[in-house]
Amino acid sequence: DIVMTQSPLSLPVTPGEPASISCRSSQSLLHSNGHNFLDWYLQKPGQSPQLLIYLGSNRAPGVPDRFSGSGSGRDFTLKISRVEAEDVGVYYCMQSLQTPHTFGPGTKVDIK
Amino acid sequence: QVQLQQSGPRLVKPSQTLSLSCAISGDSVSRNSAGWNWVRQSPSRGLEWLGRTYYNSKWYNEYAESVKSRITINPDTSKNQFTLQLKSLTPDDSAVYYCARGGGPLTWGYGMDVWGQGTTVSVSS
């Protein structure tokens, strides 16, 4: 199975400031079609996970443009340009290149 | 607007079988650009993908090796839903179970964009 790691595991943030989360996979997630099979999800307190980014850098419909995804191969980054209070929760990366799809351990983002 | 509505028991005894349903509104379980997934979440395992079913001229299933001997995911076209059966339960199977729509044969990699509300399942005698 592909193992996903994230850093940091906890991220206190200040509203209005940028934030960044890293995700690394044990194998390259670059498909032969040129896409990276890497998603980012946010799970807000008491809610189901919600899709933010798919194929490494594509924002899901309705996701604010302050969220962006980048990276290729084994190393990926989720950036929030200006954190808002509603962005608190746990962020997960997930690979869908191979089954079983596997998630990272999560990064808990809260307000300082 | 696509919605997934989960139903099923929340308390199951050890060695018994868990049966959960995920009713789809606003989409079709038979659409060949979608895959229908089950994911669970527990403090010990985090988020764990269990498997999926999808249609591409015929029905396919894919399962995580960790549960492959115990799991069945079935589409139910008459009710436009899909189901999860997990047998021989142990307390380690206690978790929140989610159904989710993901990419399919035409849209692999497009992420799980619609999720059910989650069902908290406890395995206890």
Side-chain angles (χ1 to χ4, degrees):
Chain A
D1 296 359
I2 296 177
V3 177
M4 306 298 292
T5 57
Q6 291 180 231
S7 63
L9 298 183
S10 178
L11 182 59
V13 297
T14 300
E17 294 295 308
S20 180
I21 300 170
S22 295
C23 174
R24 173 168 284 188
S25 57
S26 61
Q27 302 174 35
S28 175
L29 303 183
L30 183 61
H31 191 275
S32 56
N33 65 11
H35 293 293
N36 287 280
F37 279 52
L38 188 282
D39 305 330
W40 288 96
Y41 297 88
L42 166 60
Q43 187 172 31
K44 295 182 179 181
Q47 296 186 17
S48 304
Q50 59 187 84
L51 178 66
L52 297 176
I53 303 287
Y54 64 95
L55 293 175
S57 60
N58 295 274
R59 267 191 305 277
V63 174
D65 61 7
R66 64 179 181 273
F67 291 94
S68 64
S70 63
S72 185
R74 295 179 55 210
D75 291 296
F76 300 88
T77 302
L78 176 71
K79 292 183 179 177
I80 311 173
S81 59
R82 294 173 306 279
V83 173
E84 298 189 4
E86 66 181 21
D87 299 336
V88 299
V90 182
Y91 290 77
Y92 297 94
C93 58
M94 187 201 84
Q95 69 80 20
S96 60
L97 183 68
Q98 297 177 5
T99 58
H101 298 172
T102 46
F103 292 85
T107 295
K108 185 173 183 179
V109 172
D110 57 14
I111 301 297
K112 281 183 183 176
Chain B
Q1 182 185 0
V2 181
Q3 291 184 322
L4 302 179
Q5 181 67 39
Q6 298 178 220
S7 60
R10 297 177 182 273
L11 181 61
V12 188
K13 290 182 168 47
S15 79
Q16 291 189 339
T17 297
L18 172 66
S19 295
L20 296 176
S21 298
C22 183
I24 304 164
S25 57
D27 200 349
S28 169
V29 70
S30 302
R31 184 166 63 89
N32 67 359
S33 55
W36 304 97
N37 300 263
W38 286 97
V39 176
R40 68 182 177 183
Q41 184 174 33
S42 65
S44 59
R45 295 174 180 268
L47 284 165
E48 180 183 14
W49 180 86
L50 297 177
R52 66 183 172 190
T53 188
Y54 62 90
Y55 185 77
N56 189 18
S57 301
K58 66 175 185 177
W59 288 101
Y60 293 85
N61 294 304
E62 293 176 312
Y63 301 128
E65 282 295 328
S66 60
V67 294
K68 193 170 187 176
S69 63
R70 301 191 292 130
I71 191 173
T72 304
I73 297 175
N74 280 326
D76 182 344
T77 56
S78 66
K79 295 182 179 179
N80 198 31
Q81 67 180 23
F82 60 110
T83 61
L84 167 71
Q85 286 196 320
L86 189 64
K87 63 182 182 182
S88 305
L89 291 177
T90 72
D92 192 47
D93 293 309
S94 297
V96 179
Y97 285 75
Y98 295 99
C99 60
R101 183 182 75 172
L106 301 179
T107 57
W108 294 129
Y110 278 41
M112 292 186 281
D113 64 338
V114 182
W115 292 66
Q117 79 274 24
T119 301
T120 301
V121 174
S122 295
V123 181
S124 174
S125 53

